[in-house]
Amino acid sequence: MSIVVVGSVAYDSVKTPFGEVEKALGGSATHFSASASFFAKLHLIGVVGEDFEMKDIAFLKERGVDCDGIKVEKGKTFHWKGQYGFDLNTAQTLETHLNVFLNFSPEIPAHLQETPILFLGNIHPALQLKVLDQVKNPKLTVLDTMNFWISSELETLKKVISRVKMVIINEGEARELTREAALLTAARKIQSWGPEIVVIKRGEYGALLFFKDHVFSAPGLPLETVKDPTGAGDSFAGGVVGYLAMKNNYDLPTFKQSLIVGSTMASFNVEDFSCKRLQALTKKEISDRIRLFKELSHFEEVKI
Ligand code: AMP
């Protein structure tokens, strides 16, 4: 199954206690594609400015990602500046320059409007709505968002949520969005707005799946090297949605497996800055690490 992904293609300036990068390749659609391209055919829709170096995404093209939907507009590429302390679970946004996104109106070409899977990466919710208006009978629609839009565009964001099948959101943002402290209650509230499936990302601690009435917890893998968590959420989503697309199966066991694939991809992403680690990654490394996840969380039935 193929996936249409709409989101930001960006230059990020990021500082963590382990180093920093200036205007390195980033963006929700970029990190998502770097991850999902291991599992499925992708069509990326986005916008960049005249300063964007197409060679930065050559590795995505090599993996078969269709980048024809990336428009080049007058002006500068979206630029995000953020930093992290030793708690790498929370990003502090220092600057957000929407630049070419200010006048962007995503257009899904006619031949892609019936693509079975749609991933709405983190961009302005009004743009996400425009995309939803253009697609025809998708099997799976998935939404990602962030605090920036929860605090500035709540009503529009709620409209988008009511129209998708699945929401992927991080823990703090789920609480902010629903004004609930307990994650189960927060997830149930989001489900009551429309989506059958909610995934709550918990940074290094893993992720929770709320699938109709079922709950499943995927662990986070304890890592030796963590340098930059930017894009972990998007590469997690890339693993989840990419795996579902590869299997073309949307039952509970497949969703559970998809969370493990997502956690695996996120665990690689944080090992280096920008998209570097996913750029160098191999399928063999992915399957070896999936095995580690199984060892980490498997135990025999406990009888007392
Ligand atoms: P995450 O996976 O949540 O760490 O997402 C990181 C990516 O989101 C970065 O590469 C940023 O370029 C991108 N980003 C940050 N803020 C925004 C925003 N307001 N709209 C769209 N993309 C953003």
Side-chain angles (χ1 to χ4, degrees):
M1 288 283 124
S2 56
I3 305 170
V4 164
V5 43
V6 187
S8 54
V9 177
Y11 281 135
D12 292 344
S13 299
V14 178
K15 191 172 178 182
T16 82
F18 311 103
E20 59 186 294
V21 286
E22 263 302 304
K23 296 206 169 169
L25 180 66
S28 54
T30 317
H31 286 289
F32 177 89
S33 304
S35 168
S37 55
F38 280 97
F39 312 101
K41 171 76 189 164
L42 296 185
H43 304 278
L44 201 168
I45 310 285
V47 64
V48 293
E50 292 156 309
D51 58 338
F52 192 77
E53 303 261 8
M54 282 298 169
K55 67 172 170 26
D56 288 345
I57 51 162
F59 76 100
L60 290 179
K61 289 189 186 167
E62 276 161 30
R63 287 215 195 121
V65 178
D66 162 21
C67 295
D68 291 351
I70 303 181
K71 274 194 196 160
V72 183
E73 295 287 354
K74 266 207 169 124
K76 283 192 171 169
T77 301
F78 174 86
H79 179 215
W80 179 75
K81 194 168 180 178
Q83 69 179 22
Y84 304 79
F86 280 97
D87 172 7
L88 293 167
N89 287 321
T90 326
Q92 190 193 347
T93 294
L94 301 175
E95 294 170 25
T96 300
H97 301 277
L98 293 173
N99 296 335
V100 286
F101 262 110
L102 281 170
N103 298 314
F104 178 54
S105 182
E107 273 163 39
I108 312 297
H111 71 282
L112 295 180
Q113 290 177 357
E114 289 184 39
T115 306
I117 303 184
L118 172 67
F119 180 73
L120 294 167
N122 174 27
I123 45 168
H124 195 302
L127 300 185
Q128 294 176 321
L129 273 183
K130 278 192 183 169
V131 174
L132 278 173
D133 286 339
Q134 295 172 56
V135 295
K136 294 178 187 138
N137 305 316
K139 272 194 174 172
L140 181 66
T141 45
V142 187
L143 165 85
D144 193 359
T145 190
M146 73 180 290
N147 49 8
F148 187 82
W149 305 116
I150 296 171
S151 49
S152 61
E153 295 289 339
L154 185 61
E155 287 318 308
T156 318
L157 179 61
K158 280 192 178 171
K159 273 190 206 150
V160 190
I161 292 176
S162 71
R163 291 181 52 185
V164 295
K165 184 157 179 191
M166 174 174 179
V167 169
I168 301 184
I169 190 165
N170 81 27
E171 173 171 14
E173 287 155 3
R175 293 193 170 110
E176 195 181 327
L177 174 67
T178 58
R179 309 208 151 266
E180 297 287 350
L183 292 180
L184 180 62
T185 316
R188 294 288 182 241
K189 201 175 219 179
I190 298 173
Q191 285 175 312
S192 76
W193 296 338
E196 276 179 6
I197 302 148
V198 174
V199 173
I200 298 188
K201 298 170 283 182
R202 307 190 59 228
E204 66 183 303
Y205 308 112
L208 292 168
L209 166 72
F210 301 88
F211 180 100
K212 298 174 189 163
D213 293 338
H214 303 273
V215 185
F216 171 72
S217 173
L221 189 71
L223 294 171
E224 280 175 12
T225 313
V226 181
K227 286 191 184 163
D228 173 21
T230 310
D234 299 306
S235 44
F236 170 85
V240 170
V241 181
Y243 182 76
L244 291 167
M246 186 181 98
K247 289 285 164 186
N248 188 24
N249 187 336
Y250 308 93
D251 61 9
L252 178 60
T254 313
F255 266 93
K256 287 182 180 179
Q257 289 172 324
S258 79
L259 253 72
I260 300 297
V261 178
S263 301
T264 302
M265 300 309 285
S267 78
F268 283 116
N269 179 85
V270 301
E271 289 180 346
D272 209 341
F273 281 84
S274 179
C275 297
K276 275 198 209 156
R277 187 64 181 97
L278 291 193
Q279 207 169 328
L281 195 63
T282 63
K283 272 206 164 166
K284 160 105 176 51
E285 287 177 302
I286 298 173
S287 39
D288 286 349
R289 192 164 284 186
I290 289 175
R291 228 166 283 128
L292 286 184
F293 266 93
K294 190 158 186 210
E295 280 168 31
L296 179 73
S297 51
H298 179 81
F299 56 89
E300 303 304 329
E301 196 183 335
V302 181
K303 287 196 178 124
I304 50 171

